[in-house]
Amino acid sequence: MLSRPTYTVLGSDPTNRKCRINCYAFQQDAIVTFQGWQYAAFCSPLPDVAEPLYVHLARRRLLEPPHDNPGGWEVLALTDYPQTVDDGHNTVQLGISPGDGTIHLSYDHHCDVLRYRYSCRDLALKPTEFAWISSHFTTTLDYLPGLPASHKPFHYVTYPRFCAADSDLLFTLRDGKAGLGNDHLYVYSSSSGRCSYLGQHLTGIQSNPYIHGLSYRSGRLHLTWVYRGFVHYDGWDDLADAKHKQQAGPNGAENNHDLCYAYSDGLGKTWKNGQGKEIASRDLGISTIDNNSEGIVVFRIPKRSGLTNQESQVVDLDGGVHVLNRSSLPVGSNNRSGVEAVHWRHYYKAPGDDGIWSEFLLRPVYGSTRGRLAVSKTGDVIIILPDAENGRVYIERATKSSGYTAHEEVWSGEGLRGEPLVDLPRLENDNVLSLMVLADTKSSNDIDPGTRNVVVLDFEL
């Protein structure tokens, strides 16, 4: 079992809105450690005011692992951009470029113009030399440095993500609406301070791909995703249409299908399927992966089987690929109708092009809240599963020594909400599990419902 965690508060989480805006699974690195400092990004109001919300960026210096600096968070509010739209898609994303120490943020999108800002060089490389103030960041931009605002994918952005790759920083986004969009890939060069467009690497044919994440390890970029088939509705082709911005429907998660995988050893310039066969490259004359690309489907999961979008993926220390998702299918079934309750599934691909995929059944799913995967310093896979109906979070461990077949519960806690986020570098390097999640606070009477905070739980493994 894990020991009792250290608990620190980053800021308040708004409770006056219909939609949550913090702690969603598609916030790939909302909390991340870089060179002994931990950074976290979230949206919060200013003190004593409910609206609007502002992007907040926090940092703290970590002492010798596994001990951190209690209460040592510095929190910066970027008050030049108010966030007003009540939409759970409009989260903030955080990335750090290893080569030049710039900190990058992208925020407030659901089929909207790009909103992006980044810091001066060396802010994360030499943090003790910089005060934690907003003047070290650009204003909100509608373009990436080195690319024009007229670049078409910047006009219709949803789900931006960052992923560090050697000394540079990858950035991806979806353009198009739910069920009818494509993914685009960019790289920020730490040497030039400019971005390059790597192309439309995922194309949806009457569908859109929903990625579980981007994972870069040892020169290889790993990508897993599900497709969501598009359902036509009245006005779908109207440029002013906003029905697709609803939190559910008309193209909801019931139309998700198939678990897919591809990887790139060319930083997105070439792509191969899990058997090592090239499926997209300039030499092939095929610029993108689409629904018909050979060998990308690793589990055929039909629509209305409980499969969700953007849950979680992680790559272990040996290059094995792990995916967390869910379905109602019997384990080992292939394209059969659902016959049981929806359970979380741990999907695992052994390292190498001959690595086979396995599927492990986990606990039942209660609600739509998504979980998270991470890898410890010893190579075990940590699985964080929320129980949305009861406000609990469960942590399980899949041991490397068992080939990830042995799963055991190691902790559970109550009064926790949202989709838990994990500081992957800190867990892998320091064996400390930093969990960013929402926590209820108890009121002193039965009339006041209490409040909710964005918190970090630190577990020493």
Side-chain angles (χ1 to χ4, degrees):
M1 296 293 293
L2 296 181
S3 59
R4 184 185 180 95
T6 301
Y7 179 108
T8 54
V9 176
L10 291 173
S12 63
D13 183 66
T15 56
N16 60 301
R17 294 184 171 190
K18 178 181 178 181
C19 300
R20 191 177 76 249
I21 197 169
N22 292 308
C23 293
Y24 276 97
F26 47 83
Q27 293 178 271
Q28 180 154 320
D29 286 317
I31 181 168
V32 63
T33 290
F34 181 76
Q35 294 199 359
W37 288 67
Q38 191 172 51
Y39 301 85
F42 60 101
C43 291
S44 186
L46 298 179
D48 302 320
V49 181
E51 291 286 346
L53 308 182
Y54 297 94
V55 171
H56 285 61
L57 186 61
R59 72 174 183 178
R60 64 175 171 177
R61 185 174 187 172
L62 303 175
L63 303 181
E64 291 298 318
H67 305 290
D68 54 21
N69 184 9
W73 288 103
E74 298 175 84
V75 181
L76 164 65
L78 298 169
T79 57
D80 60 327
Y81 181 86
Q83 198 285 326
T84 60
V85 177
D86 188 359
D87 188 325
H89 297 77
N90 292 47
T91 57
V92 55
Q93 324 298 324
L94 166 66
I96 299 177
S97 171
D100 65 1
T102 50
I103 299 174
H104 300 246
L105 300 166
S106 192
Y107 42 88
D108 203 20
H109 307 97
H110 190 187
C111 302
D112 294 297
V113 65
L114 178 68
R115 296 176 179 119
Y116 172 91
R117 70 200 309 161
Y118 65 110
S119 76
C120 61
R121 297 173 70 91
D122 292 331
L123 184 58
L125 283 175
K126 302 175 182 178
T128 58
E129 298 182 10
F130 292 88
W132 196 234
I133 53 179
S134 59
S135 61
H136 293 318
F137 289 82
T138 67
T139 58
T140 298
L141 308 174
D142 58 359
Y143 60 89
L144 299 177
L147 293 169
S150 58
H151 180 62
K152 187 176 179 180
F154 294 166
H155 298 169
Y156 215 63
V157 176
T158 313
Y159 303 127
R161 291 176 186 254
F162 295 100
C163 176
D166 298 326
S167 62
D168 298 331
L169 186 67
L170 297 173
F171 179 72
T172 185
L173 59 85
R174 187 194 83 189
D175 73 342
K177 60 184 67 176
L180 202 64
N182 311 297
D183 279 25
H184 301 262
L185 188 63
Y186 307 81
V187 60
Y188 170 83
S189 168
S190 60
S191 59
S192 68
R194 298 168 65 86
C195 290
S196 301
Y197 180 47
L198 299 176
Q200 182 174 301
H201 61 297
L202 283 176
T203 297
I205 301 175
Q206 286 297 298
S207 65
N208 82 256
Y210 279 100
I211 65 173
H212 294 91
L214 290 173
S215 300
Y216 183 83
R217 188 180 292 280
S218 303
R220 178 166 291 183
L221 182 62
H222 301 265
L223 189 64
T224 63
W225 69 96
V226 303
Y227 282 111
R228 178 176 296 181
F230 186 70
V231 177
H232 290 83
Y233 58 91
D234 290 342
W236 71 272
D237 55 350
D238 184 347
L239 294 178
D241 168 57
K243 294 187 183 70
H244 61 283
K245 288 196 174 189
Q246 298 176 33
Q247 300 304 300
N251 282 274
E254 68 278 2
N255 297 311
N256 294 339
H257 63 94
D258 294 343
L259 177 60
C260 304
Y261 170 73
Y263 71 86
S264 174
D265 291 333
L267 207 63
K269 296 177 182 177
T270 62
W271 290 95
K272 296 181 180 180
N273 63 24
Q275 295 75 50
K277 183 171 182 179
E278 199 165 68
I279 53 176
S281 71
R282 180 177 298 178
D283 291 341
L284 288 176
I286 301 173
S287 61
T288 187
I289 303 168
D290 65 29
N291 307 51
N292 299 317
S293 295
E294 180 181 351
I296 59 171
V297 178
V298 295
F299 285 93
R300 292 207 173 274
I301 303 172
K303 298 177 182 179
R304 296 173 177 81
S305 297
L307 188 68
T308 193
N309 44 282
Q310 302 157 301
E311 191 132 37
S312 187
Q313 77 172 40
V314 72
V315 177
D316 64 42
L317 306 180
D318 299 319
V321 180
H322 302 259
V323 177
L324 179 68
N325 211 303
R326 58 190 73 187
S327 102
S328 59
L329 302 182
V331 172
S333 67
N334 190 21
N335 203 21
R336 291 169 55 188
S337 60
V339 296
E340 57 184 54
V342 175
H343 283 68
W344 268 297
R345 312 298 172 100
H346 173 193
Y347 299 98
Y348 167 57
K349 178 189 176 297
D353 290 339
D354 56 350
I356 62 171
W357 283 87
S358 303
E359 177 186 8
F360 309 117
L361 186 70
L362 304 176
R363 66 177 64 239
V365 177
Y366 297 103
S368 59
T369 307
R370 290 164 289 202
R372 196 73 163 182
L373 296 178
V375 175
S376 73
K377 189 174 183 178
T378 58
D380 294 341
V381 170
I382 307 301
I383 307 169
I384 302 101
L385 303 175
D387 178 348
E389 292 184 359
N390 298 297
R392 296 191 66 88
V393 168
Y394 298 89
I395 300 178
E396 298 188 1
R397 186 199 311 260
T399 58
K400 179 181 178 181
S401 60
S402 71
Y404 305 106
T405 61
H407 296 73
E408 60 174 348
E409 182 182 316
V410 294
W411 185 83
S412 69
E414 61 183 6
L416 302 175
R417 308 287 175 179
E419 299 177 350
L421 305 177
V422 176
D423 183 339
L424 297 179
R426 192 178 190 201
L427 178 59
E428 185 174 317
N429 296 321
D430 299 341
N431 226 29
V432 176
L433 174 63
S434 285
L435 199 66
M436 182 173 165
V437 69
L438 307 179
D440 295 331
T441 62
K442 296 180 180 179
S443 64
S444 58
N445 56 68
D446 295 332
I447 299 175
D448 180 6
T451 59
R452 193 169 63 204
N453 287 324
V454 184
V455 304
V456 176
L457 308 181
D458 292 310
F459 300 85
E460 298 181 12
L461 269 64

